Amino acid sequence: MTKQEEQYAVYEHELNVLSRSRLELRRPAASSDSIRAEYERLMDEYEKLMKWSKKIAAISDVQATMLRRRERDIKNLLDHANQGFLTFGPRLSVNPQFSKECERIFGRSVFGLSIVDLLFPSKEEDQSVFCELLRQAMRTDTSMEEARLLLTEMPENALIGEKYVTLEYRPIVDDMSQERLVLLIITDISEQAASQERIRDLSYRDQLTSLNNRQYMEPILDQPPSSESLPVSMMVIDLNGLKLANDMFGHREGDRLLARGAELLRAVFGDDQAATLARWGGDEFVVLLPRTDLEDCNLAVTRLKSECERSAIDPVKVSMAIGAATLTHGDEPLMSAFAAAEKQMYKNKLLDNRKVRVDMMNNVTTALIARGVEASGHQQRLHDQTSRFASRIGLRKDSPDMQLLESLIRMHDIGYLALPSDLLLKSESLTEEEWELVKSHSEIGYRMASSIGEWALAEAIRGMHESWDGSGYPYGLSAEQIPYASRLLAIIDAYDVMTHDQSYKRAVSPEIALGEIEAQAGRQFDPELAEAWMAFVRETDESIMNDYGHAVTKRAD
């Protein structure tokens, strides 16, 4: 039986007693009783009292139920508000009623605990100040407005374990006791803070390399170095060959080249906790080295260059142009060291330009062979045959024409690197669409050579498939419109391809190959150069003829 049912049972019992008493008064023995009338009046009043009491109790029960429901609804609302709500008085201990979120934030029940110890356990030196502020805000002689002003001096944030929370203090008055209290609203903003930190990190970090970015570095460079960081050195680095990698292998490989460059920087400077590494933009990087003089900076440059030399050809070797500068005093902003280092970097890039281009060409040769686009030994045979033939027709080894020919030997098929390997190695006949795609390699090769500043080479690559009679591609150039180096190498390249096995056909004899060149003289090939080449092969160079014999013997084995 519930308490309410027990209470109503008492009322029923009393009413039953009244009913029995009325029956007793109606008995004949009691009819002459002189006080019967008074008893009846008292019973009537008592019955009224019981009925009113029962009615009041019922109303009270309804009100109590409503209050409990309201209290429960408010508690549920507060418990699911994702905020902690608690109150405390002048003793600064937490009152019994607090929201469920408080237990989650603090990891325990907070009833009776010191609010200052809960919020600021690591700020022992400030706790007494906080206690005084809170007590003063709850003094009876402090107005509510003054209390609000005092509470604004309390910290607005706190770190509770690993949770970052905001704190809002509100002065209130207990309706029943009229005691001054403080309502504290605690909001866990750990996720928002983490998101803001991630956003900040994203805004200051280069997503491709995971290094700091220009937005992060510029405010640093605008300031003079601190005295503790002197001397401070700066490196400005330009990644060589990025445009070539983008044009040759696609932007994905260009991005990989940037990432590999960043990895080399981390490998050299990663152990230096004070070093700051950043991608400045495009193909440029910046390295800031506090407490590093010029001598140590130059040693670091040497280490970085060594790492570049040891890097894999994947698909090209990492190469960097590096400039360095050092500040020994704090009178100038770091940007002045940046400007000096950048100037030196461009100077070094200009001085190393030829070597970088040669290295890139060598990387291309390795990549062509690795992808199966070009047979191993093809370039060496072209180099040997072209050198001897060029000497025969009067080209000096140190002449510009001969230097161009040597570069063209290495780079004439560079455009194939941008095409699918399965298309280039296909043994069946190509469709019209596939043939058009293959023919695009001349233009692709032109753009690749142009990207490293080899303009004459670019024109020669584009001219490799033009024909003397104007029937070639990509532009239908004819006769001497075609670069001389292209006309010469096209003959030697065609002869070597015909006399060696390819994925799409077997080799033919040197005589058959020479017959094909003779047939195409004046049509595909420069007639004078074709005639000179045929005479050179037949009359003076048995070793070239023997190349076919060696190839046939090796294939038979």
Side-chain angles (χ1 to χ4, degrees):
M1 183 180 293
T2 66
K3 186 175 180 181
Q4 187 179 27
E5 289 172 341
E6 290 178 355
Q7 188 178 28
Y8 287 142
V10 170
Y11 293 137
E12 291 301 323
H13 173 73
E14 293 297 319
L15 289 173
N16 288 335
V17 170
L18 278 173
S19 295
R20 288 197 299 271
S21 298
R22 287 185 190 281
L23 290 174
E24 286 293 329
L25 286 174
R26 294 192 184 103
R27 290 172 57 193
S31 60
S32 61
D33 193 333
S34 60
I35 60 171
R36 174 181 174 182
E38 185 63 23
Y39 279 152
E40 287 182 345
R41 188 183 66 78
L42 287 174
M43 282 189 289
D44 289 342
E45 293 296 327
Y46 185 61
E47 184 178 10
K48 289 179 183 178
L49 177 62
M50 292 300 298
K51 287 181 178 180
W52 275 107
S53 297
K54 184 178 179 181
K55 188 174 183 179
I56 291 171
I59 295 172
S60 177
D61 288 341
V62 170
Q63 290 178 335
T65 301
M66 292 176 63
L67 286 172
R68 283 194 297 272
R69 183 180 295 121
R70 183 182 178 189
E71 181 181 354
R72 185 175 63 250
D73 290 345
I74 292 174
K75 188 174 188 334
N76 284 335
L77 182 63
L78 295 179
D79 284 345
H80 293 84
N82 294 323
Q83 288 181 304
F85 295 89
L86 60 83
T87 61
F88 55 89
R91 294 174 58 188
L92 305 184
S93 57
V94 179
N95 290 328
Q97 299 301 322
F98 51 84
S99 68
K100 192 174 181 180
E101 180 71 358
C102 292
E103 288 187 347
R104 189 194 70 81
I105 291 174
F106 292 101
R108 53 180 167 164
S109 172
V110 296
F111 170 51
L113 300 179
S114 166
I115 189 63
V116 174
D117 290 339
L118 282 171
L119 296 177
F120 315 111
S122 61
K123 297 184 178 180
E124 295 181 4
E125 67 280 3
D126 297 326
Q127 285 187 359
S128 60
V129 176
F130 298 152
C131 289
E132 180 58 30
L133 275 172
L134 292 172
R135 289 194 178 101
Q136 189 173 349
M138 288 182 279
R139 286 174 52 177
T140 56
D141 59 349
T142 301
S143 69
M144 296 298 282
E145 183 61 32
E146 289 173 333
R148 278 190 284 271
L149 289 174
L150 286 168
L151 293 175
T152 60
E153 298 181 31
M154 291 293 294
E156 296 180 350
N157 303 285
L159 187 63
I160 312 297
E162 295 183 355
K163 301 179 184 71
Y164 189 66
V165 301
T166 61
L167 307 171
E168 183 180 353
Y169 311 83
R170 294 184 183 178
I172 61 174
V173 177
D174 187 300
D175 290 338
M176 296 182 65
S177 67
Q178 296 302 304
E179 181 184 23
R180 287 287 189 91
L181 303 174
V182 170
L183 168 66
L184 178 62
I185 304 172
I186 310 170
T187 306
D188 185 352
I189 60 168
S190 301
E191 290 187 7
Q192 297 95 310
S195 297
Q196 290 175 355
E197 184 62 27
R198 285 193 294 270
I199 292 171
R200 180 182 179 278
D201 185 67
L202 287 172
S203 67
Y204 285 142
R205 192 164 297 278
D206 178 63
Q207 296 305 297
L208 178 62
T209 64
S210 295
L211 299 180
N212 297 311
N213 61 15
R214 182 168 183 164
Q215 186 175 347
Y216 175 85
M217 286 298 296
E218 281 186 330
I220 296 175
L221 299 185
D222 286 338
Q223 301 298 319
S226 63
S227 57
E228 296 82 8
S229 66
L230 294 173
V232 59
S233 292
M234 176 85 64
M235 289 186 198
V236 177
I237 300 163
D238 184 89
L239 191 65
N240 294 317
L242 178 61
K243 189 175 189 305
L244 176 63
N246 285 331
D247 291 344
M248 188 186 305
F249 305 105
H251 284 273
R252 179 170 295 183
E253 287 299 334
D255 289 346
R256 274 213 324 124
L257 182 61
L258 283 165
R260 290 171 61 209
E263 283 300 317
L264 284 184
L265 292 177
R266 276 190 281 265
V268 174
F269 302 105
D271 293 336
D272 187 349
Q273 298 296 321
T276 302
L277 312 179
R279 182 184 175 195
W280 188 250
D283 53 5
E284 285 193 4
F285 296 88
V286 174
V287 179
L288 182 63
L289 299 171
R291 298 184 297 278
T292 304
D293 59 22
L294 185 58
E295 182 179 355
D296 288 339
C297 182
N298 287 334
L299 289 174
V301 170
T302 301
R303 291 199 307 272
L304 183 55
K305 287 183 176 180
S306 298
E307 287 294 327
C308 290
E309 287 296 324
R310 286 196 291 268
S311 67
I313 301 175
D314 181 28
V316 295
K317 183 178 290 190
V318 177
S319 172
M320 297 178 176
I322 307 171
T326 301
L327 285 180
T328 57
H329 51 80
D331 298 338
E332 300 178 67
L334 288 166
M335 188 59 79
S336 61
F338 175 90
E342 185 178 43
K343 183 177 179 180
Q344 187 188 57
M345 179 272 290
Y346 283 121
K347 179 181 178 181
N348 292 339
K349 189 176 183 69
L350 185 63
L351 293 174
D352 295 341
N353 194 35
R354 179 61 187 173
K355 179 182 181 300
V356 169
R357 292 204 303 271
V358 171
D359 288 343
M360 286 292 174
M361 292 178 192
N362 291 335
N363 290 343
V364 167
T365 300
T366 304
L368 285 168
I369 295 172
R371 287 190 59 187
V373 174
E374 192 166 275
S376 178
H378 174 63
Q379 284 197 13
Q380 187 59 50
R381 292 193 301 272
L382 287 185
H383 179 271
D384 294 343
Q385 295 166 11
T386 302
S387 295
R388 293 196 292 269
F389 180 58
S391 178
R392 169 73 177 269
I393 61 176
L395 289 179
R396 299 192 316 274
K397 287 186 177 181
D398 59 350
S399 67
D401 286 340
M402 194 62 211
Q403 291 175 3
L404 177 58
L405 270 170
E406 289 175 352
S407 297
L408 186 60
I409 289 168
R410 292 195 295 269
M411 301 280 282
H412 67 283
D413 285 335
I414 185 176
Y416 285 132
L417 287 173
L419 302 180
S421 297
D422 56 349
L423 175 63
L424 299 175
L425 302 176
K426 186 177 180 180
S427 56
E428 299 87 6
S429 298
L430 299 178
T431 65
E432 184 177 345
E433 292 79 8
E434 289 173 335
W435 176 236
E436 288 300 319
L437 183 59
V438 169
K439 289 197 299 184
S440 69
H441 83 276
S442 295
E443 278 292 341
I444 296 171
Y446 171 85
R447 292 198 300 271
M448 291 178 177
S450 299
S451 71
I452 58 173
E454 294 286 350
W455 301 106
L457 175 61
E459 294 289 350
I461 291 172
R462 189 161 61 180
M464 280 293 293
H465 292 277
E466 299 286 3
S467 296
W468 183 262
D469 64 0
S471 62
Y473 64 87
Y475 290 123
L477 302 179
S478 63
E480 293 185 359
Q481 291 177 325
I482 306 168
Y484 180 77
S486 307
R487 286 181 274 144
L488 190 153
L489 187 61
I491 296 170
I492 304 174
D493 184 52
Y495 178 84
D496 188 77
V497 168
M498 285 189 284
T499 55
H500 290 81
D501 284 341
Q502 308 299 320
S503 63
Y504 51 88
K505 73 174 187 65
R506 306 295 292 273
V508 300
S509 69
E511 283 299 336
I512 292 176
L514 289 175
E516 181 65 21
I517 288 174
E518 184 175 13
Q520 292 297 324
R523 297 168 62 188
Q524 180 179 352
F525 302 122
D526 181 329
E528 290 185 8
L529 287 175
E531 183 179 354
W533 171 254
M534 290 185 291
F536 169 69
V537 173
R538 286 174 174 150
E539 297 171 11
T540 65
D541 203 331
E542 294 182 2
S543 64
I544 296 179
M545 299 288 284
N546 289 338
D547 278 345
Y548 174 76
H550 292 316
V552 171
T553 301
K554 185 174 181 181
R555 189 173 70 215
D557 292 342

